[in-house]
Amino acid sequence: MTPISILDLAPIVQGSNASEAFRRTLDLAQHAEKWGYRRFWMAEHHGMPGIASAATSVLIGHVAAGTKTIRVGAGGIMLPNHAPLVIAEQFGTLAALFPGRIDLGVGRAPGSDQKTARALRRDPSAADTFPEDVVELMDYFKPPHPGQHIKAVPCAGQDVPVWILGSSLFGARLAAHLGLPYAFASHFAPAQLLPALDVYRREFRPSERLAKPYVMPGINVFAAEPRRSSEGAKAGDADSEGRRLWSSLAKVILDLHTGRPRRLAAPEEGFDESLTPQDRLIIDSMLGCSAVGSPVTVRDWLKRFVERTSADELMISCQVFDHAARLRSYEIVSGLRG
């Protein structure tokens, strides 16, 4: 049985606001805990009108305080946006508040456009020192040693697993070199998934943190049941309903490509038929790792994906406009294991 986890961006849907997004995120986490999901991660993005998880460590504290057992963490913190000492202090604090439940995934992308990156005071060369910054970050979690002048308080000795996030061979090699678990962002950048997993496993060096490779690819899942009309009659099969729910995220992808990011829009009937060949290429290049449709369709897709990747765990993202439909999608997936 492959463990499953959730990546949530606290999506702000059209006609709503961040406060409602946070309420829905916590509600999802509480349901995920009941359904047996292992982790609930949130990601750092800046300047995106449809994503409310910019202050990621603050939101992690909110979700951890409202749950009891599920691991809560970052998938991820964009480390070049921050001093490693600050992130160590934040996650050391979270670990002290919620012992044994906090994860820290780190990546090197800005999580924003270039203008927003400059507003973050991110140096253009900040990503160049990402490997050294990861090592510095991990050192703060070790017990203090004699003569150590800089300490992250409270941090030293805290049990915070560090993950490398990536969408290329760079992150795979770094995770392998440092002996860390590796999460691949195939939910929006699937092109190098298999080569990256091969490099990571082949070059992995056991460490005090991890004895053998551990990979967690990201996927999109839109699991659905037949939708019914207001009169109670079926209004389409489950595969079609999954495609209808999927259209909200597909529209986000097209908006991003044209430089016009917007809030998550309502699903659109007949969206597939309206796409141009160029639209399909753009969407497929980013959403190629997506299971969409009925429980049977999703189950079969997940089985093939795990067989193809030998994934140790799956990180599932489901950006659906309607909160009840989003909850139901995750509930369906939780019942497909075994």
Side-chain angles (χ1 to χ4, degrees), residues 101-170:
R101 294 182 54 207
I102 301 300
D103 294 328
L104 173 53
V106 293
R108 64 176 181 141
S112 64
D113 57 37
Q114 292 305 311
K115 289 184 178 179
T116 306
R118 286 194 293 271
L120 290 167
R121 303 300 189 265
R122 177 179 167 125
D123 188 278
S125 62
D128 296 344
T129 61
F130 180 63
E132 294 83 359
D133 290 344
V134 174
V135 171
E136 179 185 343
L137 173 64
M138 291 192 299
D139 282 345
Y140 289 125
F141 288 102
K142 295 178 180 178
H145 56 77
Q148 180 178 343
H149 296 291
I150 302 175
K151 301 180 180 68
V153 180
C155 179
Q158 295 282 8
D159 177 22
V160 179
V162 175
W163 293 64
I164 297 295
L165 314 180
S167 58
S168 69
L169 301 186
F170 178 92

